[in-house]
Amino acid sequence: MKLLLKSAKIIDPTSSYHLKTLDIFIENGTIEKIGKSLKINKCDREIKLKDLHVSKGWIDTSVSFGEPGYEERETINNGLDTAAKSGFTQIALNPNTNPIIDDNGAITSVLSKAKDHAVQLFAIGALTRRAEGKDLAELFDMHTAGAIAFGDYKRPTSHPNLLKLALQYAQNFDGMVQSYPQDNQIAGNGLVNEGINSTYLGLKGIPAFAEELQIVRDLAILEYTGGKLHIPTISTEKSVKLIRNAKKNGLDVSCSVTIHNLLFTDDVLAEFDTHMKVLPPLRTKNDVKALIKGLKDGTIDMLTSDHTPIDIEHKKIEFEHALYGTIGLESAFGALQKIFSLEETIKFLTKGRERFKIKEPQIEEGTEANLSLFSPGEEYKFSKEHIASTSRNSIFLDFNMKGKVYGIINKNAMAI
């Protein structure tokens, strides 16, 4: 396939073409030529789009679909279509399906279902069997099948010895362990952030301490065992400080933050809108400021939409009974541009590959085309018509956005 992108402004500080507006010729999935006013004979498609910008492909390291088991929420195919329309060329799939992705066969199955799509799917295997937190899953077998990390999605590893064993065992094949940062005995039956708003609304709170205590424990175990630890979706000011200090002390730890935890506080809970019920919960203004600072200074290694489709029967009900989670792929780019510059937004959307040992794309002649296409200037209000997911549970409904995504080019395929 021969593609010609016309007048595309390249946003990639690692490229020699950074901030230049040029034509990009792609043949059979490889960037063959970059230059001014290129003339290509017998081109299959010439792409001219308003205010076209291009960056290396975006990645999201924490995405949930529904298949297998919850196909009514999202199938793998529609989920990958949604990722493509949202500008993502690569996603890491969480193991929270039914059955749980906890063995070689389950990893092989989800990877095979995505093999022909323009979006590349990477699989995260469960850390424990059936994500029950009792016995380690088949980590090495899943690693050989292609799993890039191991963690029980939104379920903390409550038993400290189990985390110790996992970190020790995974070192045999340079595997990375994920540990969700919440002490459930402290969190109890909490629903939202513990604080003034939870008291005012009469909702049971999840103390910031529940997250921070778990991180202190996990870092102590990591210091003892060695190995690689990833702490997904931190949400408090002290969590940032704890991980910053751990990195200064030489621990091999990384962490992520959700996009919605950078934009919303628990002040939005006044209407008891279940779209705002997420885990970790929305915290305070001071937490948001610390998270943004931590992302900018590199303490927080990557961000994620934490895309979690939930069907209407489990979301449009009483706040106490609604499931946690929001979709987020479609809103990621437009939301981030409300708080960051374009270059910062692209930087954050492309971070995380190195930690998961995923090859970094390049925008140079002779390299594989792994590109996200977008226009950064358009402002609009996010509504249901902007949702491509099967589920509609977006925390960003009626939120003012900036920037439009055109699609992606990846794996010698195009989704525009």
Side-chain angles (χ1 to χ4, degrees):
M1 182 170 63
K2 294 182 179 181
L3 300 175
L4 181 61
L5 302 183
K6 296 294 291 183
S7 300
K9 187 170 184 178
I10 297 169
I11 309 296
D12 181 5
T14 66
S15 170
S16 58
Y17 302 103
H18 181 48
L19 299 180
K20 295 179 181 179
T21 301
L22 300 165
D23 295 350
I24 304 174
F25 172 56
I26 300 165
E27 183 174 13
N28 297 327
T30 298
I31 299 173
E32 295 290 350
K33 187 76 174 175
I34 302 176
K36 282 279 189 183
S37 303
L38 297 180
K39 304 293 184 183
I40 305 297
N41 293 325
K42 297 181 179 179
C43 189
D44 294 307
R45 184 171 174 184
E46 187 173 285
I47 299 171
K48 294 181 179 180
L49 297 168
K50 182 181 177 182
D51 192 30
L52 176 59
H53 286 58
V54 171
S55 74
K56 58 187 176 183
W58 306 342
I59 184 169
D60 193 327
T61 58
S62 178
V63 171
S64 300
F65 295 146
E67 187 177 1
Y70 304 111
E71 286 84 356
E72 72 279 6
R73 298 178 184 176
E74 193 78 277
T75 63
I76 289 175
N77 187 63
N78 193 73
L80 293 176
D81 285 347
T82 299
K85 292 173 183 176
S86 306
F88 292 89
T89 62
Q90 295 170 319
I91 63 101
L93 184 68
N94 293 312
N96 55 326
T97 52
N98 186 20
I100 296 288
I101 301 172
D102 65 355
D103 60 24
N104 180 306
I107 295 290
T108 301
S109 177
V110 296
L111 292 178
S112 67
K113 289 179 180 179
K115 66 179 180 179
D116 296 325
H117 204 282
V119 176
Q120 188 173 6
L121 182 151
F122 297 91
I124 297 171
L127 184 66
T128 65
R129 292 179 183 175
R130 297 179 294 278
E132 292 176 345
K134 297 177 181 178
D135 301 295
L136 287 182
E138 300 170 5
L139 304 189
F140 182 70
D141 284 351
M142 287 191 287
H143 168 74
T144 59
I148 60 169
F150 310 96
D152 295 341
Y153 181 71
K154 302 296 185 187
R155 298 184 185 184
T157 309
S158 298
H159 200 301
N161 193 56
L162 196 63
L163 181 62
K164 184 198 79 171
L165 292 173
L167 285 165
Q168 290 173 328
Y169 180 66
Q171 289 178 60
N172 292 308
F173 49 90
D174 195 28
M176 184 163 68
V177 171
Q178 297 191 9
S179 179
Y180 181 68
Q182 180 170 292
D183 186 314
N184 280 343
Q185 294 186 59
I186 299 293
N189 296 319
L191 300 171
V192 299
N193 178 58
E194 183 183 82
I196 294 173
N197 285 315
S198 65
T199 302
Y200 176 75
L201 297 170
L203 294 171
K204 295 178 181 178
I206 301 175
F209 179 59
E211 176 174 303
E212 295 151 6
L213 181 63
Q214 190 81 357
I215 290 176
V216 168
R217 188 209 72 170
D218 290 355
L219 292 174
I221 294 171
L222 178 65
E223 185 175 19
Y224 175 79
T225 61
K228 295 167 65 174
L229 178 67
H230 179 67
I231 302 175
T233 62
I234 67 170
S235 67
T236 80
E237 180 179 13
K238 190 170 181 180
S239 295
V240 177
K241 293 178 181 177
L242 289 167
I243 292 170
R244 183 180 288 123
N245 288 336
K247 288 185 172 186
K248 287 180 181 177
N249 291 331
L251 295 187
D252 192 354
V253 61
S254 58
C255 65
S256 65
V257 63
T258 72
I259 294 171
H260 48 266
N261 279 98
L262 299 174
L263 285 140
F264 296 105
T265 69
D266 59 358
D267 291 337
V268 302
L269 297 171
E271 301 299 322
F272 295 91
D273 184 351
T274 58
H275 288 107
M276 306 295 175
K277 186 179 179 182
V278 291
L279 199 65
L282 303 175
R283 302 287 189 182
T284 68
K285 290 180 181 178
N286 286 339
D287 294 313
V288 169
K289 289 178 182 177
L291 292 168
I292 291 173
K293 181 181 178 182
L295 188 62
K296 287 186 172 184
D297 70 20
T299 300
I300 299 175
D301 300 85
M302 64 200 77
L303 54 73
T304 172
S305 71
D306 206 26
H307 181 85
T308 308
I310 303 293
D311 55 277
I312 192 169
E313 288 82 2
H314 291 93
K315 203 62 171 172
K316 199 172 183 179
I317 54 177
E318 295 88 351
F319 195 92
E320 181 178 357
H321 300 295
L323 295 183
Y324 292 103
T326 175
I327 56 173
L329 289 169
E330 302 99 312
S331 50
F333 178 62
L336 287 170
Q337 277 212 106
K338 297 299 292 184
I339 51 174
F340 299 119
S341 69
L342 174 60
E343 288 190 53
E344 285 177 319
T345 296
I346 300 305
K347 174 185 175 182
F348 298 142
L349 286 170
T350 55
K351 285 187 70 177
R353 288 185 175 91
E354 182 180 359
R355 185 60 174 169
F356 287 88
K357 296 192 289 186
I358 297 170
K359 182 181 177 182
E360 194 75 34
Q362 294 179 294
I363 303 181
E364 301 289 350
E365 293 180 351
T367 63
E368 183 180 352
N370 181 336
L371 304 173
S372 298
L373 285 65
F374 53 93
S375 173
E378 181 179 341
E379 299 200 28
Y380 62 98
K381 183 171 287 189
F382 190 77
S383 65
K384 289 184 179 179
E385 69 182 40
H386 299 108
I387 294 176
S389 305
T390 302
S391 297
R392 296 287 191 261
N393 57 304
S394 175
I395 197 172
F396 288 100
L397 284 172
D398 296 324
F399 187 80
N400 292 322
M401 299 281 186
K402 183 181 179 183
K404 175 182 179 180
V405 176
Y406 288 124
I408 65 168
I409 297 172
N410 187 39
K411 294 172 61 180
N412 194 24
M414 172 178 60
I416 298 174

